[in-house]
């Protein structure tokens, strides 16, 4: 009896949250298309999301590419190592690891910061103050972050992919004694347009997820410092899960056979 | 001829979960009038202002601004309506990412598209009106004292020269002299600029100075409203207890009944 009540309550709450999120997303999209546009805010957010994330995303990609190369070398000694290794590194990085790890790292940095900032604005009535000054909080706060996420993440992922492949290249040539020229030729041969396009599409989707989760949880936070803390955690956790889920869906859709 | 009230509330009810805060508020404010709302802490005075502003949506009742029913307005009409309002929040609610002068001129720049240098001049002038020197303009809100924040909030509320201004405890946290400067400013807004104001205060000296009308909120209803001259002989035990600040009387504080 108690068990059913718990399940029922949980289901209702989950549905309510889903509804709120849908309304929030619909409102945001509606406001993307109508003026005024706060261009300065978009620029600011692109800096916060993109530029300041470069070090952490770059390092993640570098280490991952390098470790990947080492693993593949160990695992594929029996085959034609040189071309296999270049191929697996570039495909794994561009198709999956670049966008996913890049997205997760940025989500950890940015979703939390957005939720904390907007959440604080909510609990200190700054969002109410925006409304009284005839400025729509969706337009002023949410839309610039969503657009910045959408545009910036693909750029970041291009950087991440490049550095990731370079990490593999470093291990292959410096540690394992592969021929640099052959390695690069093999890399270019195996990389296809679909890989790059899917990588960028993923990045764009992840960018929107990151900003949406940060804004949504911040916007709906309540209950002082504790509430803002909760919003921050929820923003990161939900961004992580949605990124991994979206990644799976895109991968299944694009790479079918 | 009867004039259309600037603000008119009838039967406004607002609850949070099972907690009823407003339980059928009726209130009328005429154009160019200064209404002071008094009432105990936590009786819903701030909630009342937020309902009128549309920041909170009451469950039932009617709210009219200039004769228009705001609860049944479209999004667009609502926005046009909002341009008439200025609001000083109880906690000032300054934007902490912006310097003081951009806070003050936010409405002018963002909603009316005023140029930055012109907006800054107006901001500095408004800051002077609330007794703050021009060098405060470039500080950030976290560098201000509580009373200074309040005054910046006040400058922001009057900067767009709205029709209706709400002041949520404008003098709380100010020294008595500065409090009187602020009282004068509010009086000036009403007398000289014809602004309609609703002020929440616990400070009876301030209330006596700025009010035309006084209304008392108690247990979710306006239990008394009258001209300020009548406050002292309202024949209302609740009002009497409140304005004299007596612990004994019909209003029981939760600490005593526990
Ligand atoms: N967003 C909210 N969610 C839940 N309850 C709220 C919310 N806002 C206000 N309340 C409750 O409504 C009641 C009235 O709050 P309000 O802030 O209007 O009081 P007040 O009369 O302005 O008091 P004070 O003089 O101390 O400022 C309080 O009991 C408060 O707990
Ligand atoms: Mg209050």
């Amino acid at each position: 009896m108690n068990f059913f009540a718990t399940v029922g309550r949980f289901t209702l709450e989950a549905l309510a949250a889903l509804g709120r999120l849908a309304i929030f997303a619909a409102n945001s999209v509606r406001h993307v298309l109508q003026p005024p546009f706060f261009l300065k805010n978009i620029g600011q957010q692109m800096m916060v999301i993109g530029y300041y994330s470069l070090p952490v995303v770059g390092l993640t990609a570098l280490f991952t590419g390098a470790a990947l190369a080492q693993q593949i070398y160990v695992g594929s000694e029996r085959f034609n190592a040189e071309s296999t290794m270049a191929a697996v590194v570039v495909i794994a990085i561009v198709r999956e690891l670049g966008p996913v790890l890049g997205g997760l790292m940025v989500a950890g940095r940015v979703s939390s910061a957005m939720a904390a900032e907007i959440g604080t604005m909510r609990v200190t009535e700054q969002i109410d103050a925006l409304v009284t000054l005839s400025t729509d909080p969706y337009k002023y706060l949410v839309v610039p972050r969503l657009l910045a996420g959408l545009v910036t993440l693909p750029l970041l992922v291009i950087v991440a992919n490049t550095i990731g492949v370079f990490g593999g290249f470093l291990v292959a040539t410096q540690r394992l004694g592969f021929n640099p020229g052959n390695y690069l030729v093999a890399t270019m041969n195996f990389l296809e347009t679909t890989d790059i396009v899917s990588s960028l599409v993923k990045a764009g989707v992840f960018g929107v997820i990151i900003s949406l989760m940060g804004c949504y949880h911040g916007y709906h936070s309540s209950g002082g410092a504790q509430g803002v803390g909760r919003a921050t955690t929820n923003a990161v956790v939900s961004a992580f899960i949605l990124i991994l889920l979206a990644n799976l869906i895109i991968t299944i859709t694009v790479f079918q056979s | 001829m009867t004039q259309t009230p600037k603000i008119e509330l009838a039967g406004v009810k607002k609850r949070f979960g099972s907690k009823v805060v407003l339980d059928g508020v009726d209130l009328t404010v005429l154009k160019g009038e200064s209404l002071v709302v008094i009432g105990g802490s936590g009786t819903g005075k701030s909630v009342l202002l937020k309902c009128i502003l549309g920041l909170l949506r009451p469950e039932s009742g009617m709210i009219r601004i200039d004769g228009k029913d705001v609860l049944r307005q479209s999004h667009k009409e609502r926005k046009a309506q909002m341009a008439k309002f200025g609001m000083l929040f109880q906690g000032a609610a300054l934007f902490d990412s912006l310097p003081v002068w951009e806070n003050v001129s936010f409405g002018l720049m963002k909603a009316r598209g005023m140029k930055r240098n012109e907006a800054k001049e107006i901001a500095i002038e408004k800051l002077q009106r609330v007794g703050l020197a021009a060098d405060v303009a470039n500080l950030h809100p976290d560098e201000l004292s509580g009373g200074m924040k309040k005054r910046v909030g006040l400058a922001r509320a009057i900067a767009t020269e709205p029709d209706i201004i709400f002041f949520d405890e404008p003098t709380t946290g100010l020294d008595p002299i500065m409090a009187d400067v602020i009282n004068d400013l509010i009086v000036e807004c009403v007398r000289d600029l014809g602004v309609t104001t609703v002020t929440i205060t616990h400070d009876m000296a301030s209330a006596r100075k700025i009010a035309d009308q006084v209304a008392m909120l108690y247990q979710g209803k306006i239990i008394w409203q009258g001209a300020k001259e009548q406050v002292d002989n309202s024949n209302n035990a609740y009002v009497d207890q409140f304005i004299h600040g007596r612990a004994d009387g019909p209003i029981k504080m939760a600490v005593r009944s526990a």
Side-chain angles (χ1 to χ4, degrees):
Chain A
M1 197 60 205
N2 218 336
F3 170 75
F4 288 114
T6 312
V7 171
R9 192 170 313 119
F10 180 80
T11 313
L12 280 181
E13 270 166 23
L15 284 177
L18 209 62
R20 270 201 307 276
L21 178 60
I23 291 170
F24 188 84
N27 270 334
S28 310
V29 170
R30 187 160 57 80
H31 286 287
V32 167
L33 306 170
Q34 304 165 338
F37 306 110
F38 292 99
L39 294 177
K40 195 178 141 200
N41 293 20
I42 300 179
Q44 245 169 23
Q45 290 304 321
M46 286 181 71
M47 284 299 280
V48 171
I49 300 174
Y51 188 71
Y52 297 120
S53 297
L54 272 176
V56 65
V57 169
L59 284 176
T60 308
L62 185 70
F63 294 151
T64 309
L68 193 61
Q70 179 70 30
Q71 282 288 8
I72 295 162
Y73 178 74
V74 175
S76 66
E77 269 169 330
R78 287 155 296 171
F79 309 112
N80 180 1
E82 195 150 334
S83 65
T84 312
M85 195 166 127
V88 176
V89 168
V90 73
I91 286 177
I93 292 282
V94 174
R95 285 188 183 178
E96 296 290 329
L97 296 176
V100 171
L101 290 181
L104 293 180
M105 294 310 280
V106 178
R109 261 197 83 236
V110 174
S111 294
S112 52
M114 281 182 187
E117 186 182 355
I118 296 182
T120 305
M121 292 187 73
R122 164 61 74 200
V123 300
T124 57
E125 300 182 321
Q126 292 178 51
I127 292 186
D128 288 340
L130 275 179
V131 176
T132 65
L133 294 165
S134 303
T135 304
D136 194 302
Y138 279 96
K139 284 204 171 69
Y140 187 74
L141 296 173
V142 180
V143 168
R145 284 168 172 77
L146 286 178
L147 289 180
L150 177 67
V151 175
T152 316
L153 253 274
L155 299 176
L156 263 180
V157 164
I158 291 175
V159 176
N161 289 346
T162 313
I163 294 179
V165 169
F166 178 69
F169 173 81
L170 272 186
V171 168
T173 56
Q174 302 303 312
R175 209 178 123 76
L176 308 173
F178 284 37
N179 177 300
N182 291 351
Y183 188 92
L184 284 183
V185 169
T187 299
M188 295 319 271
N189 279 344
F190 277 99
L191 186 63
E192 286 175 23
T193 319
T194 328
D195 300 332
I196 298 174
V197 171
S198 77
S199 189
L200 296 183
V201 168
K202 282 181 178 180
V205 171
F206 299 168
V208 171
I209 290 174
I210 288 166
S211 295
L212 189 65
M213 288 302 107
C215 294
Y216 168 77
H217 287 285
Y219 200 84
H220 288 283
S221 65
S222 61
Q226 213 173 21
V228 175
R230 229 177 4 247
T232 309
T233 311
N234 289 343
V236 176
V237 172
S238 58
F240 274 23
I241 290 173
L242 285 181
I243 284 175
L244 294 171
L245 178 65
N247 179 62
L248 176 63
I249 293 172
I250 298 173
T251 296
I252 289 175
T253 317
V254 176
F255 304 99
Q256 276 185 346
S257 58
Chain B
M1 180 192 134
T2 54
Q3 136 196 52
T4 317
K6 196 76 184 166
I7 304 170
E8 198 182 359
L9 278 72
V12 171
K13 293 190 181 182
K14 176 70 195 170
R15 59 161 77 199
F16 294 102
S18 60
K19 184 180 167 69
V20 177
V21 178
L22 301 181
D23 191 19
V25 170
D26 304 308
L27 192 65
T28 305
V29 190
L30 299 178
K31 184 170 170 14
E33 191 175 66
S34 168
L35 173 75
V36 167
V37 178
I38 57 176
S41 190
T43 46
K45 304 182 297 298
S46 299
V47 168
L48 177 66
L49 291 192
K50 286 183 190 170
C51 285
I52 303 175
L53 282 167
L55 297 172
L56 291 173
R57 203 181 163 81
E59 281 82 43
S60 62
M62 182 217 63
I63 300 176
R64 286 208 176 113
I65 311 287
D66 285 325
K68 292 195 201 85
D69 189 340
V70 291
L71 297 177
R72 281 163 198 80
Q73 266 177 332
S74 73
H75 194 73
K76 218 171 175 169
E77 290 170 308
R78 192 95 230 216
K79 255 195 97 175
Q81 198 78 278
M82 196 54 101
K84 291 181 185 170
F85 283 102
M87 165 87 185
L88 164 65
F89 286 86
Q90 189 167 1
L94 301 180
F95 305 125
D96 42 29
S97 59
L98 299 176
V100 164
W101 77 265
E102 284 192 50
N103 263 285
V104 174
S105 56
F106 192 93
L108 296 171
M109 290 194 293
K110 300 294 192 259
R112 304 209 183 148
M114 186 181 279
K115 294 272 171 297
R116 283 175 73 82
N117 42 5
E118 193 183 343
K120 188 165 186 177
E121 272 172 38
I122 294 184
I124 289 174
E125 184 232 327
K126 299 292 175 196
L127 286 170
Q128 276 160 358
R129 303 268 317 255
V130 296
L132 291 170
D135 58 354
V136 173
N138 290 316
L139 297 178
H140 271 261
D142 56 10
E143 297 171 280
L144 304 179
S145 75
M148 287 164 89
K149 281 186 192 149
K150 198 112 221 190
R151 285 184 278 158
V152 174
L154 201 64
R156 182 174 72 181
I158 61 173
T160 52
E161 300 185 350
D163 254 13
I164 306 170
I165 313 182
F166 291 168
F167 301 101
D168 197 343
E169 306 197 5
T171 55
T172 308
L174 301 183
D175 65 80
I177 301 170
M178 190 47 70
D180 208 47
V181 171
I182 298 307
N183 290 338
D184 285 338
L185 178 75
I186 295 174
V187 170
E188 215 176 288
C189 283
V190 177
R191 300 274 149 75
D192 304 349
L193 306 174
V195 177
T196 308
T197 63
V198 178
T199 308
I200 292 173
T201 189
H202 297 285
D203 171 358
M204 284 314 294
S206 169
R208 283 174 210 279
K209 185 144 186 184
I210 61 185
D212 296 322
Q213 289 271 311
V214 177
M216 174 148 175
L217 187 64
Y218 180 70
Q219 290 191 339
K221 291 190 175 69
I222 299 290
I223 53 158
W224 186 82
Q225 180 174 1
K228 91 172 140 186
E229 292 77 15
Q230 295 163 8
V231 189
D232 289 307
N233 35 31
S234 61
N235 289 330
N236 184 310
Y238 295 91
V239 175
D240 268 347
Q241 186 191 349
F242 189 87
I243 64 173
H244 295 114
R246 286 193 291 258
D248 290 318
I251 305 174
K252 297 281 182 262
M253 289 290 158
V255 281
R256 287 154 50 82
S257 61

